[in-house]
Amino acid sequence: MFTLLGTMMLQIADRLKALAVMVLAVIAIPLSMQDADFAQHTYLLQAEGAPSAIMGMPTEDAEYDVLHVNATENTMGDAQLVLDKGQIVTVEYQGQSQTVEARHETVANLLRRLDITPTEDEMIVLDVNGETLRVIVTDTWTFDWEKTVETGYETERVANPRLLKGTEQVIQAGQAGSYVETYRDVYAKGVVDHTDFVSRTDDTAVTEIIEYGTRVESVSASARLTDATMDEQGGLLTFDNGETLSYSRMMTCEATAYCDYGTTATGYITAPGVIAVDPSVIPYGTRMYIQTPNGGWVYGMAVARDCGGAVKGNIIDLWFPDLGTCLTWGRRAVTVYILD
């Protein structure tokens, strides 16, 4: 009986010793080792620039006003992201925000005290850019970044109807520029899941503008007048081939026709475009563009080189190469543009 009792007491004593060893072992485990589950979480450090992921242990030490990052791994691989005692921290989780006072502890310890346990799909974002640390537990995090694109300038050519054809002038110098594109990186599990285009600024390049002249001294017989305008700069005739003529005034005259071959009163040989005028109304040498008012018959370019007994006042006599054309013409009202 006593032998059996002694054996039982020895067994109880051995069990008590084993239990004591287990208790001592638990007491000896550091707090960070008790929080070993946090070693598996992904931390995303948001400082200046793109965020950087911390998987278990930081790669290098870093000091911020609101956070100490130590590249020291404890026994269980917990990230050493240390807060100062009395430090104010804002914690955001599941749409709620709370402000807490930290102990001298790791971020993992702080979350443990708040009964916050991130899932495998969530990150612990540490935003150190403000006066207080923001700890955000979230499954996504966004970061906007910009790319500057240098650009050259374009050249625009603009017709100047009063500038002599064959000449050009720069009225606005070109200038290279740039525009800024904004993109948004979307992070999940510590890495960029995808990137979205957000916006683009206007290009600052300045277009070079070059004016080229279209004004000529005369137009071909096939050119047709499309517009006649008069403004403070003078009159302007625009033709279907893009060329322009400048004129000083417009007259309405009665035009007859003749086809005599020979020498005019001013010594010129008769030819198309040589017309007779009353020199007191239209001086010799005056350049003109002539057509009927509706443009149905175009005589075209003409120069006052001759006169005649019946050519008085606003009457002009147009030279044609043959009698048949003269008879067809007969006597018509014409619009005469006195060219510059």
Side-chain angles (χ1 to χ4, degrees):
M1 180 66 178
F2 287 105
T3 301
L4 178 60
L5 180 61
T7 300
M8 293 178 61
M9 291 181 67
L10 286 174
Q11 290 178 347
I12 292 172
D14 289 340
R15 291 180 180 179
L16 288 173
K17 288 180 181 180
L19 181 60
V21 170
M22 292 177 63
V23 170
L24 289 173
V26 172
I27 294 173
I29 295 176
L31 180 60
S32 57
M33 292 176 64
Q34 297 178 42
D35 296 331
D37 57 323
F38 281 96
Q40 302 304 317
H41 293 310
T42 298
Y43 295 88
L44 203 61
L45 181 62
Q46 180 64 76
E48 293 185 359
S52 56
I54 300 174
M55 308 291 190
M57 182 181 69
T59 58
E60 60 183 13
D61 291 349
E63 287 291 330
Y64 302 96
D65 292 340
V66 294
L67 183 68
H68 309 287
V69 179
N70 301 326
T72 302
E73 186 177 21
N74 62 26
T75 307
M76 301 301 292
D78 185 28
Q80 295 299 291
L81 308 170
V82 182
L83 306 172
D84 290 331
K85 182 178 180 180
Q87 179 180 336
I88 302 302
V89 180
T90 299
V91 180
E92 301 174 20
Y93 178 58
Q94 294 184 345
Q96 301 295 319
S97 177
Q98 57 181 312
T99 301
V100 297
E101 183 176 320
R103 302 170 183 172
H104 184 68
E105 60 186 340
T106 65
V107 173
N109 288 345
L110 174 65
L111 293 178
R112 178 188 59 81
R113 289 197 296 111
L114 298 176
D115 293 326
I116 296 176
T117 304
T119 66
E120 292 183 359
D121 292 330
E122 291 178 322
M123 302 171 291
I124 303 171
V125 180
L126 308 174
D127 185 355
V128 299
N129 288 315
E131 295 183 358
T132 60
L133 174 67
R134 291 176 63 214
V135 178
I136 307 104
V137 180
T138 180
D139 57 356
T140 59
W141 181 253
T142 60
F143 174 74
D144 289 357
W145 55 276
E146 295 178 344
K147 180 177 73 173
T148 299
V149 180
E150 304 294 332
T151 60
Y153 61 85
E154 297 181 348
T155 298
E156 181 181 352
R157 295 179 59 82
V158 180
N160 184 337
R162 299 188 183 278
L163 188 65
L164 188 63
K165 187 175 182 178
T167 62
E168 59 183 36
Q169 60 186 11
V170 177
I171 63 170
Q172 178 173 281
Q175 182 177 334
S178 64
Y179 60 85
V180 177
E181 293 179 333
T182 300
Y183 293 88
R184 177 167 295 154
D185 287 341
V186 180
Y187 286 78
K189 297 183 179 180
V191 297
V192 177
D193 180 74
H194 61 275
T195 300
D196 298 325
F197 174 78
V198 177
S199 63
R200 169 180 164 173
T201 63
D202 293 335
D203 193 342
T204 60
V206 177
T207 300
E208 179 181 66
I209 300 178
I210 299 177
E211 287 187 340
Y212 63 91
T214 61
R215 182 173 62 83
V216 293
E217 296 299 317
S218 64
V219 294
S220 65
S222 62
R224 292 295 177 265
L225 183 64
T226 59
D227 189 39
T229 59
M230 175 69 74
D231 57 27
E232 64 277 2
Q233 298 182 65
L236 192 68
L237 304 179
T238 302
F239 294 84
D240 56 3
N241 61 2
E243 294 178 335
T244 54
L245 289 172
S246 59
Y247 72 97
S248 57
R249 62 191 177 99
M250 183 266 289
M251 300 174 58
T252 298
C253 298
E254 290 292 323
T256 55
Y258 75 107
C259 57
D260 294 341
Y261 282 84
T263 302
T264 68
T266 58
Y268 286 85
I269 301 298
T270 55
V274 173
I275 68 172
V277 299
D278 182 344
S280 65
V281 177
I282 302 176
Y284 288 138
T286 299
R287 299 170 58 251
M288 294 162 277
Y289 183 83
I290 302 170
Q291 68 175 29
T292 55
N294 62 2
W297 192 310
V298 177
Y299 188 77
M301 300 297 301
V303 183
R305 299 294 192 193
D306 203 358
C307 62
V311 181
K312 299 296 181 180
N314 281 18
I315 297 176
I316 59 176
D317 204 11
L318 310 181
W319 189 90
F320 289 101
D322 58 82
L323 179 60
T325 305
C326 290
L327 294 174
T328 301
W329 176 267
R331 187 182 187 97
R332 300 170 184 262
V334 294
T335 299
V336 178
Y337 295 98
I338 307 299
L339 303 180
D340 293 337

